[in-house]
Amino acid sequence: MTQKLTILFDLDGTLVDTAPDLVNAHKHVMKKFGFETKATDDIKKLVGRGAKSLIYRSIYNTAKKEFRKFTDESTKEEMVKEFIDYYGRNINNESKLIDGVIDFLSWCKNEKISMGVCTNKQEHLAIDLLKKIKIYDYFEYVAGSNTFEYCKPDPRHLTSVLEIMDGSIKKSVMIGDSETDADSAKNCGMKFILLEDGYTEKKVSEIHHDHLIKNFIGLEKIVKNYLNAMSWMVEIIEAYVEGLPTP
């Protein structure tokens, strides 16, 4: 089937506000291993690159604050495992969909727009959350941090999913909430839509984006513009091939 448009979505902070459950898992681990817990906003800033980065950066920041080093790699790995295990058991206690997500996904499905997920959450956790929050069936493919040998901001995370979905960069859009998503899209030449108030340390002005949205309410208007632009390009190509005057 000819690709109409493909939309790739980030998960945490984009489709789902997972911060409450991530914060609870983080607090559990930090308390268990004798580290200072952090405020919700601080944890949200560290989420974008996955569980290992979240724990390692939390340890580093605490050690730096307390003027001490923490170099026990086995303990670090144990903390990451504990975080993943605890979070996996409590993955959908307080998480909720971002406003407008269901209506937008339903509209995309009716418009025959292909949809996939590219997240730095581990694949099994991403699939489990999507199923429990009841939006898994909208997506053709879900790629996590461990699906390939690379993940965002490496652009191959996106391009590999597109290849699997039989899509093309020129007819695709990425939607995310952080510079991790933005950089991966920019580095493969894909259009990028940024959600405000994302899980990031950076300001909106510091993150590359083609469009800025507060949530998914009314996002159909922006996507329709992409569809119209692509339809116009198809007409030009077809006219060129047939030797007719271009529109």
Side-chain angles (χ1 to χ4, degrees):
M1 185 177 75
T2 303
Q3 179 196 22
K4 185 176 183 180
L5 176 69
T6 299
I7 300 179
L8 301 182
F9 299 83
D10 173 50
L11 179 51
D12 296 282
T14 299
L15 289 168
V16 186
D17 179 10
T18 54
D21 291 323
L22 288 168
V23 168
N24 289 337
H26 184 275
K27 288 181 177 179
H28 164 77
V29 172
M30 298 301 274
K31 285 180 180 179
K32 181 173 181 177
F33 287 84
F35 285 89
E36 181 183 272
T37 58
K38 293 181 176 294
T40 297
D41 286 344
D42 291 332
I43 296 172
K44 285 171 66 176
K45 293 175 182 177
L46 302 175
V47 167
R49 293 182 183 268
K52 186 172 183 178
S53 176
L54 170 62
I55 296 300
Y56 276 38
R57 292 177 69 188
S58 296
I59 295 171
Y60 172 78
N61 290 340
T62 300
K64 185 178 179 181
K65 181 179 178 181
E66 298 177 1
F67 301 102
R68 63 190 176 93
K69 292 184 177 181
F70 188 83
T71 57
D72 187 344
E73 291 299 325
S74 63
T75 301
K76 289 180 184 178
E77 292 296 333
E78 189 178 347
M79 290 176 73
V80 173
K81 183 179 184 302
E82 180 67 23
F83 175 86
I84 293 171
D85 289 346
Y86 182 91
Y87 178 63
R89 296 193 304 271
N90 300 276
I91 199 167
N92 193 33
N93 290 346
E94 299 179 52
S95 294
K96 61 181 182 179
L97 294 170
I98 300 296
D99 289 345
V101 163
I102 287 291
D103 287 343
F104 180 71
L105 295 180
S106 297
W107 177 82
C108 287
K109 186 175 182 179
N110 290 336
E111 291 292 321
K112 296 184 174 13
I113 293 172
S114 302
M115 294 180 283
V117 173
C118 282
T119 174
N120 279 350
K121 187 189 285 307
Q122 289 192 359
E123 183 181 308
H124 75 283
L125 293 176
I127 291 173
D128 188 38
L129 175 59
L130 290 168
K131 287 182 176 179
K132 287 180 175 176
I133 212 159
K134 303 187 186 314
I135 59 172
Y136 175 77
D137 289 340
Y138 286 101
F139 304 105
E140 293 181 24
Y141 194 79
V142 177
S145 62
N146 57 340
T147 302
F148 310 114
E149 295 180 352
Y150 38 81
C151 61
K152 298 179 300 185
D154 191 318
R156 291 177 297 171
H157 198 177
L158 275 59
T159 56
S160 292
V161 171
L162 281 182
E163 184 176 351
I164 290 168
M165 294 175 64
D166 198 25
S168 71
I169 292 174
K170 291 182 179 180
K171 297 173 71 175
S172 301
V173 179
M174 174 72 186
I175 302 177
D177 70 311
S178 73
E179 70 279 6
T180 303
D181 306 314
D183 290 347
S184 59
K186 182 180 180 180
N187 290 337
C188 69
M190 190 183 299
K191 293 292 185 182
F192 180 67
I193 299 173
L194 175 68
L195 269 81
E196 292 183 355
D197 301 320
Y199 296 179
T200 176
E201 299 173 282
K202 293 185 177 292
K203 298 177 181 178
V204 166
S205 60
E206 298 175 313
I207 302 174
H208 161 79
H209 59 275
D210 298 289
H211 290 92
L212 180 66
I213 58 175
K214 292 183 179 295
N215 49 47
F216 284 81
I217 297 173
L219 180 55
E220 296 89 345
K221 294 178 182 178
I222 293 175
V223 176
K224 282 180 182 177
N225 289 335
Y226 283 118
L227 289 171
N228 291 337
M230 290 172 186
S231 176
W232 180 74
M233 287 300 297
V234 169
E235 288 182 19
I236 291 178
I237 293 170
E238 289 179 346
Y240 177 79
V241 170
E242 295 175 7
L244 301 174
T246 56

